[in-house]
């Protein structure tokens, strides 16, 4: 127990005593003008005589049960902050203080507010996070100067009237009533505030918003009505000529609102609704920068609409269309993890946060998620987002110790920031999910590393488990270390007046007082772990860990959960950039892999959008290797009209370097990703999807190459990701072993054709394959490339070649395009020998075809004698 007694200082005017664990304060208040004693443990204030000149009082984040009466009797009091205490009631005459302009009483235990009101100069009233059932009936009638009212996170069912007649003197400009129990009856009362500019009514029980009421809110600039049950937004929203932000996610909207008719519109969020189509004007709004349509499962956009939106909007988000048959959904095996994320810019429309989302990391057995916050700069978060994943992959090759590879990742990242990190900095949190391949009976491990104020919180059995720590000058150990390096701690608690964090990325000019060494913590995931949240500084400054867990625990969709967190944070007062990543977990009791692969070594993994091969053989003979048609959803069709010259000079592949086993049924047709494939719940059947960089929602870039579209006349190629001068074919070889444990017979040699993509092998590969009795598709110990490919072993076999001219294999996991011959090196055939050479080549080709047919007949007979009727496919 600590008591501060400053009564001998009778002439004291200003007292600063914050973060000192005080429980009691005694002082002489005769000349006192300002009192700052926040972030202590005060239970009562003993001030005598009463401070008659007190104008500013901050006693927030203490343990006060009540306020002394002299607070309401002070004639000079203008600002009173008593938030984050244990107050159950306020002094009865508090609202009679005529000079009181700002009152902050949020995060207390108030059941009601004083009813006694006089004409007051109150401009800002914050009563959020209490237990209020209603507001005083004359609150808005007597508060002519009230500009901002925040009553979010209460139990309000009604709102007070602004006037007793049609004419209103209300000057209210900002109204935040998010997360209450308001119904449609409250909407007509909003018309009593003709000067309303910002309206947040998210997560209430609204079902309709009358058009006549919306038409009267002509000065409205920002509206958030998310999380209700609205089926439509009234067309009279076009009367709001100044509207620049419309947020209406997580509703039941079926009709696209007329927001594109607003000339000042900048941001529109209609995600997680039931939209089926959108209507666009001939010319999009010139200031439109963000349009989010993710989470609308029935929304279909044609190519022309996509091109229009993509070319005119800086940030356009929409779900990628499903590509092929989802074996994971068919088998009913849930993914071990799935994610959703939301980013929101601040008041200055500047996005200073970034996120890293890799569902399938290091050959699909792991995942990496990150959140980066630059507070006021964009450069550092962008660099972290682009670089940190590759650094982590490199460090994983050097050591398996979580403390070491996470620490080294942050240290290397600090060096790679270069000049941007000299005077700029940023917070970062990085999470890595992995499964130890040497311990098949072990469970997944979640490792979190952070610097700054970006945190990770795990929900374990409904309770928050903080996996992060913010190192600031408020920590005794850090304060001692900083003082040893002769750094200056300013009055606002910052190192040299720059940052209050002593462990953060960037700010190299403050080294060694400020270092990038992260806090690292690892936990083994259990069935009690439901999800975890990665959030930026703005999120955790606005929402407590307990509230965040409780708020989204019953939200089934990760995207909707992240949206809800950001909407709540903005309604609670966050005006800066926000980022929230929600990763939902589905860890079951049987953590042991039962895929019968490699004696228990887990196969590639559990991401929710695990990539798979999307190939089909076009116009092949019946005796050739069969593949399902594109109509079955298991494969994508690549037209023979696409020549190798139309592809790029380099083709990347994430295929395993071991030859896959192909399932042949009695009819000789091969299957890819058979739904009846036997998998354990730890490693569910892979989903078929196109190559994706971000897997939750696609943000279209300025060029359509990311979607496989090079022009308006071409269709996307499933399984092929085109990006500039590179075409990447994504492959997944998984759980490839037959029912009886035997390896399928070698495949016949196939010549490259112009009819699609063929699966082939040379004679040496076939001989090697026939001798092997057990193999796996895992890529343990191989280095992961920066673009997601896997560097193979030296003695490996790749069975995927591009039709036409099969390019040569490079050691790095890519295929090199055929080298163009030098004209000087070409062999010139004399005209008199041309016909003879053609005849010789024709005879040679016929001999090769005869040999192949003979080999094919012999091989088919071998298959009938040796192969089982059914086994699992690797593709």
């Amino acid at each position: 127990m600590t008591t501060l007694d400053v009564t001998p200082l009778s002439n004291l005017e200003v007292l600063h005593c914050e973060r000192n664990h005080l429980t009691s304060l005694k002082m002489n208040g005769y000349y006192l003008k300002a009192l700052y004693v926040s972030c202590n443990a005060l239970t009562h204030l003993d001030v005598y005589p009463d401070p008659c000149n007190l104008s500013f009082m901050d006693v927030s984040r203490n343990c006060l049960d009540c306020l002394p009466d002299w607070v309401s009797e002070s004639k000079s009091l203008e600002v009173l902050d008593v938030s984050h205490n244990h107050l159950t009631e306020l002094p009865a005459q508090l609202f009679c203080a005529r000079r009181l302009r700002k009152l902050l009483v949020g995060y207390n235990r108030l059941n009601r507010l004083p009813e006694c009101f006089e004409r007051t100069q109150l401009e800002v009233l914050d009563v959020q996070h209490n237990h209020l059932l209603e507001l005083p009936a004359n609150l808005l009638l007597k508060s002519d100067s009230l500009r901002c009212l925040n009553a979010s996170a209460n139990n309000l069912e009604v709102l007070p009237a602004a006037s007793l007649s049609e004419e209103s003197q209300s000057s209210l400009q900002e109204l935040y009533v998010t997360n209450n129990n308001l119904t449609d009856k409250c909407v007509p009362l909003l018309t009593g505030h003709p000067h309303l500019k910002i309206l947040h009514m998210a997560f209430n029980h609204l079902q309709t918003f009358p058009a006549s009421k919306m038409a009267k809110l002509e000065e409205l600039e920002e509206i958030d009505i998310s999380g209700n049950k609205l089926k439509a937004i009234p067309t009279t929203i076009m009367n709001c000529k100044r509207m620049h932000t419309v947020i209406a996610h997580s509703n039941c909207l079926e009709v696209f609102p007329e927001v594109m008719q607003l000339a000042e519109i900048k941001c529109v969020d209609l995600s997680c609704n039931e939209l089926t189509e959108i209507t666009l004007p001939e010319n999009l709004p010139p200031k439109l920068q963000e349009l989010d349509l993710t989470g609308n499962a029935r929304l279909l956009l044609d190519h022309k609409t996509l091109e229009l939106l993509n070319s005119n909007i800086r940030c356009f988000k929409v779900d990628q269309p499903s590509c092929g048959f989802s074996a994971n959904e068919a088998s009913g095996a849930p993914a071990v993890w799935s994610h959703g994320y939301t980013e929101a810019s601040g008041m200055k429309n500047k996005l200073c946060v970034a996120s890293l989302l890799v569902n399938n990391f290091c050959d699909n057995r792991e995942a990496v998620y990150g959140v980066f916050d630059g507070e006021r700069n964009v450069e550092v978060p962008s660099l972290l987002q682009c670089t940190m994943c590759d650094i982590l992959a490199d460090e994983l090759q050097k050591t398996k110790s979580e403390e070491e590879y996470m620490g080294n990742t942050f240290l290397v990242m600090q060096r790679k920031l270069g000049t941007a990190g000299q005077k700029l900095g940023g917070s970062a949190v990085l999470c890595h999910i992995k499964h130890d391949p040497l311990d098949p009976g072990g469970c997944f491990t979640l490792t979190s590393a952070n610097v700054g104020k970006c945190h990770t919180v795990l929900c374990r059995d409904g309770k928050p488990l903080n996996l992060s720590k913010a190192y600031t000058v408020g920590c005794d150990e850090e304060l001692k270390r900083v003082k040893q390096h002769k750094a200056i701690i300013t009055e606002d608690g910052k190192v040299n007046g720059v940052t209050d964090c002593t462990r953060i990325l960037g700010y190299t000019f403050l080294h060694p007082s400020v270092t990038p060494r992260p806090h690292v913590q690892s936990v083994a995931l259990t069935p009690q772990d439901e999800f975890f949240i990665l959030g930026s500084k703005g999120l955790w400054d606005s929402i407590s860990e307990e509230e965040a867990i409780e708020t989204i625990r019953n939200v089934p969709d990760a995207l909707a959960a992240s949206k809800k967190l950001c909407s709540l944070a903005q309604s609670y007062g966050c005006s800066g950039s926000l980022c929230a990543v929600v990763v939902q977990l589905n860890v079951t009791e049987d953590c042991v892999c039962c895929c019968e692969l490699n004696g228990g070594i887990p196969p590639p993994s559990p991401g929710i959008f695990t990539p798979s091969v999307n190939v089909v053989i076009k116009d092949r003979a019946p005796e050739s290797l069969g593949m399902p048609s594109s109509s079955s959803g298991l494969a994508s069709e690549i037209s023979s009209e696409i020549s190798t010259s139309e592809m790029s000079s380099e083709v990347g592949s994430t295929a395993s370097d071991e030859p896959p086993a192909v399932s042949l049924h009695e009819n000789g047709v091969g299957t890819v990703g058979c739904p009846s494939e036997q998998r354990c719940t730890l490693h569910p059947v892979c989903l078929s999807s196109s190559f994706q960089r971000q897997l939750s929602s696609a943000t279209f870039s300025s060029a359509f190459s990311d979607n496989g579209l090079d022009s308006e006349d071409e269709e996307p190629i499933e399984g092929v990701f085109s990006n500039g001068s590179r075409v990447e074919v994504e492959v997944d070889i998984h759980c490839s072993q037959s029912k009886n444990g035997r390896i399928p017979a070698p495949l016949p040699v196939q010549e490259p054709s112009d009819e699609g993509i063929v699966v082939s092998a040379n004679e040496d590969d076939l001989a090697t394959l026939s001798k092997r009795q057990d193999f796996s598709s895992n890529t343990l110990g191989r280095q992961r490339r920066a673009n997601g490919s896997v560097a193979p072993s030296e003695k490996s076999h790749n069975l995927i070649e591009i039709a036409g001219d099969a390019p040569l294999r490079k050691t790095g996991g890519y295929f090199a395009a055929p080298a163009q011959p030098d004209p000087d090196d070409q062999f010139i055939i004399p005209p008199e020998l041309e016909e003879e050479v053609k005849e010789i080549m024709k005879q040679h080709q016929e001999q090769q075809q005869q040999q192949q047919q003979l080999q094919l007949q012999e091989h088919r007979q071998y298959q009938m004698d040796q192969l089982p009727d059914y086994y699992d496919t690797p593709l």
Side-chain angles (χ1 to χ4, degrees):
M1 182 176 181
T2 304
T3 301
L4 177 63
D5 188 354
V6 291
T7 52
L9 303 176
S10 58
N11 296 327
L12 186 65
E13 294 184 357
V14 179
L15 175 62
H16 277 275
C17 189
E18 301 170 324
R19 299 180 177 87
N20 285 288
H21 308 289
L22 296 179
T23 58
S24 180
L25 175 64
K26 296 180 179 181
M27 62 180 300
N28 188 322
Y30 189 78
Y31 294 99
L32 187 65
K33 294 182 179 180
L35 177 63
Y36 303 87
V37 288
S38 61
C39 302
N40 284 285
L42 294 175
T43 57
H44 66 280
L45 299 174
D46 188 1
V47 182
Y48 182 83
D50 296 344
C52 56
N53 297 318
L54 183 66
S55 60
F56 190 98
M57 180 177 176
D58 183 2
V59 290
S60 60
R61 300 184 184 277
N62 281 284
C63 302
L64 298 175
D65 294 326
C66 61
L67 290 177
D69 293 335
W70 55 261
V71 173
S72 59
E73 296 173 0
S74 179
K75 299 179 180 180
S76 302
L77 186 62
E78 296 183 7
V79 178
L80 175 61
D81 187 354
V82 291
S83 59
H84 295 276
N85 278 281
H86 302 159
L87 301 179
T88 57
E89 61 180 1
L90 297 176
Q93 302 297 321
L94 182 61
F95 288 107
C96 297
R98 295 188 176 183
R99 290 195 178 184
L100 186 63
R101 295 185 296 104
K102 187 175 183 179
L103 177 60
L104 309 178
V105 292
Y107 297 91
N108 280 284
R109 303 171 182 175
L110 301 176
N111 294 316
R112 61 184 182 87
L113 297 178
E115 296 289 342
C116 183
F117 266 86
E118 294 182 2
R119 291 292 176 181
T120 175
Q121 300 297 321
L122 192 64
E123 298 178 3
V124 178
L125 176 61
D126 188 345
V127 293
Q128 63 174 303
H129 285 87
N130 281 285
H131 307 304
L132 301 176
L133 297 176
E134 61 180 2
L135 297 175
N138 55 353
L139 172 63
L140 300 177
L141 296 175
K142 297 293 184 68
S143 302
D144 296 337
S145 302
L146 188 63
R147 294 183 296 102
C148 178
L149 172 60
N150 193 333
S152 301
N154 281 283
N155 298 317
L156 299 179
E157 298 180 357
V158 295
L159 293 176
S163 64
L164 299 178
S165 60
E166 294 184 359
E167 295 184 1
S168 174
Q169 302 297 326
S170 173
S171 58
L172 189 66
Q173 298 180 6
E174 302 178 20
L175 177 60
Y176 303 90
V177 286
T178 294
N179 199 13
N180 279 286
N181 299 321
L182 301 177
T183 61
D184 298 346
K185 297 179 180 179
C186 301
V187 177
L189 299 175
L190 299 176
T191 59
H193 308 288
H195 304 292
L196 194 63
K197 296 181 178 180
I198 300 177
L199 174 61
H200 282 219
M201 296 185 70
F203 298 99
N204 282 283
H205 303 304
L206 303 181
Q207 295 184 353
T208 59
F209 203 113
S212 59
K213 309 305 178 184
M214 177 69 76
K216 295 183 179 181
L217 301 176
E218 297 181 353
E219 296 187 17
L220 200 61
E221 299 178 1
E222 176 181 327
I223 184 172
D224 187 348
I225 48 179
S226 307
N228 287 286
K229 300 178 182 179
L230 298 174
K231 293 186 178 181
I233 296 178
T235 56
T236 51
I237 195 174
M238 292 187 296
N239 291 2
C240 306
K241 302 297 183 180
R242 302 179 183 178
M243 184 76 73
H244 60 73
T245 302
V246 176
I247 305 176
H249 63 80
S250 306
N251 276 285
C252 304
L253 298 181
E254 300 176 351
V255 180
F256 192 79
E258 300 291 336
V259 292
M260 294 300 179
Q261 304 291 341
L262 300 171
E264 299 294 325
I265 194 69
K266 295 180 180 179
C267 176
V268 178
D269 188 349
L270 301 175
S271 57
C272 302
N273 278 286
E274 299 177 4
L275 298 176
T276 56
E277 60 181 2
I278 63 175
T279 55
L280 300 177
E282 294 182 0
N283 297 318
L284 293 178
K287 298 182 180 180
L288 183 61
Q289 298 180 4
E290 299 180 23
L291 176 60
D292 193 345
L293 299 177
T294 56
N296 290 278
R298 298 187 298 170
L299 180 61
L300 298 176
L301 300 179
D302 56 22
H303 177 67
K304 182 178 179 180
T305 303
L306 286 174
E307 183 178 8
L308 176 64
L309 296 175
N310 179 59
S311 59
N312 290 276
I313 303 176
R314 184 191 67 181
C315 181
F316 170 51
K317 298 180 181 180
V318 66
D319 290 331
Q320 282 192 345
S322 59
C323 300
F325 173 74
S326 174
N328 195 22
E329 294 178 1
S331 64
V336 178
W337 55 73
S338 60
H339 78 269
Y341 79 101
T342 301
E343 297 172 351
S345 56
M347 294 293 293
K348 297 182 180 180
N349 203 27
K350 186 177 180 181
L351 188 63
C352 299
V353 294
S355 57
L356 176 63
L357 310 166
V358 184
N359 264 346
N360 305 308
F361 178 69
C362 284
D363 198 24
N364 303 336
R365 292 185 305 273
E366 305 172 9
V368 172
Y369 303 99
V371 168
F372 315 113
D373 189 352
E375 294 193 21
R376 292 181 297 274
N377 74 85
V378 182
E379 294 80 7
V380 172
S382 298
L383 288 172
L384 297 178
Q385 182 187 41
C386 297
T387 314
M388 212 154 190
C389 187
D390 293 336
I391 298 176
L392 177 60
D394 292 338
E395 294 301 326
L396 280 170
Q397 302 298 323
K398 302 175 183 178
T399 178
K400 298 302 180 182
S401 171
E402 293 87 354
E403 187 79 24
E404 292 183 11
Y405 71 71
M406 278 296 194
N408 293 339
T409 298
F410 278 73
L411 291 176
V412 174
M413 189 66 245
Q414 176 82 339
R415 293 196 296 268
K416 289 187 176 293
L417 286 178
T419 56
Q422 293 180 1
K423 295 185 178 181
L424 300 177
S427 303
V429 59
L430 193 66
C431 288
H432 178 213
I433 305 177
K434 69 174 183 177
H435 187 280
D436 188 359
L438 302 179
D439 183 15
C443 293
F444 287 98
T445 300
L446 172 62
T447 301
S448 173
N450 82 291
V451 292
K453 295 185 177 180
C454 290
H455 290 176
T456 301
V457 176
L458 173 67
C459 175
R460 173 165 289 180
D461 200 17
K463 305 296 182 182
L465 176 60
N466 195 340
L467 302 181
S468 305
K469 183 178 181 180
Y471 288 91
T472 64
V473 293
C475 303
D476 295 337
E477 295 181 359
E478 292 296 302
L479 180 61
K480 182 180 179 180
R481 182 182 62 83
V482 170
K483 289 183 177 180
Q484 287 178 350
H485 295 294
K486 310 301 180 182
I488 299 174
I489 307 299
T490 56
E491 292 182 358
D492 55 352
K494 295 183 178 181
V495 180
N496 290 354
V498 177
T499 176
D500 60 342
C501 294
T502 57
R503 296 192 187 184
I504 197 170
L505 286 169
Y507 298 127
T508 54
F509 75 99
L510 295 177
H511 183 81
S513 300
V514 175
T515 67
R517 181 184 177 186
H519 170 79
V520 182
Q521 185 173 346
S522 299
V523 293
L525 296 180
T526 67
Q528 287 73 37
D529 297 326
E530 303 173 22
F531 58 88
F532 61 91
I533 307 170
L534 294 85
S536 61
K537 175 182 180 295
L539 180 69
W540 298 120
D541 285 349
S542 305
I543 303 179
S544 64
E545 300 171 2
E546 294 78 7
E547 182 181 4
I549 295 298
E550 183 180 357
T551 297
I552 66 172
R553 190 182 181 192
N554 296 324
V555 179
D557 181 62
L559 174 62
S562 63
K563 291 282 185 182
K564 185 174 184 178
L565 287 176
C566 285
S567 288
L568 293 180
Q570 290 177 327
S571 295
Y572 295 164
C574 179
S575 59
S577 297
L578 277 173
C579 182
V581 176
V582 177
V583 182
Q584 293 182 335
L585 302 171
N586 186 22
V587 182
T588 57
E589 293 286 354
D590 52 344
C591 280
V592 181
C593 176
C594 57
C595 295
E596 298 179 355
L597 181 64
N598 283 343
I601 297 179
S605 172
I608 186 173
F609 288 111
T610 308
S612 64
V613 178
N614 290 318
V615 294
V616 66
I617 308 303
K618 288 187 58 182
D619 304 328
R620 300 295 296 273
E623 65 271 7
S624 302
L625 175 64
M627 285 288 184
S629 65
S630 59
S631 62
S632 65
L634 293 174
S636 64
E637 185 172 342
I638 301 179
S639 174
S640 60
E641 297 176 357
I642 301 177
S643 64
T644 56
S645 62
E646 293 174 332
M647 295 189 176
S648 68
S649 61
E650 185 172 0
V651 180
S653 173
T654 56
S656 170
D657 300 299
E658 300 294 348
V662 180
S663 175
L664 296 176
H665 292 285
E666 293 180 357
N667 56 4
V669 177
T671 61
V672 178
C674 181
S676 60
E677 196 172 37
Q678 298 298 322
R679 299 288 182 86
C680 66
T681 57
L682 188 63
H683 304 102
V685 180
C686 301
L687 280 174
S688 176
S689 65
S690 61
F691 191 92
Q692 303 177 69
R693 293 295 182 185
Q694 298 289 347
L695 300 174
S696 63
S697 61
T699 302
F700 287 85
S701 64
S702 59
F704 265 88
S705 59
D706 287 353
N707 305 321
L709 298 175
D710 295 329
S711 68
E712 296 183 0
D713 299 328
E714 294 181 356
E715 296 296 330
I717 303 175
E718 297 181 354
V720 177
F721 178 80
S722 174
N723 186 7
S725 62
R726 176 172 296 172
V727 177
E728 301 189 6
V729 182
E730 189 169 18
V731 181
D732 177 35
I733 300 176
H734 185 71
C735 291
S736 50
Q737 188 171 6
S738 63
K739 224 174 185 181
N740 57 2
R742 293 184 300 172
I743 302 303
L747 299 173
V749 178
Q750 299 288 343
E751 289 293 330
S753 66
D754 294 331
E755 297 173 351
I757 293 180
V758 300
V759 181
S760 63
N762 55 38
E763 295 180 357
D764 295 336
D765 293 341
L766 293 176
T768 304
L769 178 61
S770 61
K771 294 178 181 179
R772 299 183 61 181
Q773 296 300 320
D774 189 21
F775 71 93
S776 68
S777 62
N778 67 80
T779 53
L780 300 177
R782 299 174 189 166
Q783 184 178 3
R784 189 168 182 85
R785 299 288 178 181
N787 73 332
S789 65
V790 179
S793 303
E794 294 297 331
K795 297 180 181 180
S796 60
H797 310 281
N798 196 295
L799 304 180
I800 296 180
E801 296 179 352
I802 300 301
D805 298 322
L808 299 176
R809 180 80 188 286
K810 283 182 18 178
T811 307
Y814 298 108
F815 296 98
Q820 299 297 326
D822 191 338
D824 297 335
D825 297 334
Q826 295 183 10
F827 179 72
I828 307 299
I829 302 176
E832 61 272 10
L833 299 178
E834 185 175 356
E835 294 297 330
E836 183 178 354
V837 171
K838 287 183 178 180
E839 184 66 24
I840 294 175
M841 294 178 62
K842 182 178 180 180
Q843 293 177 1
H844 181 68
Q845 186 176 5
E846 291 177 353
Q847 292 177 0
Q848 287 184 341
Q849 291 178 354
Q850 292 176 0
Q851 293 177 0
Q852 290 177 4
Q853 291 178 359
L854 182 62
Q855 291 178 358
L856 183 60
Q857 293 175 0
E858 295 176 353
H859 184 69
R860 188 180 298 112
Q861 183 63 32
Y862 175 79
Q863 286 179 326
M864 297 299 295
D865 297 336
Q866 300 295 330
L867 287 180
D869 293 337
Y870 167 82
Y871 59 85
D872 294 337
T873 176
L875 301 180

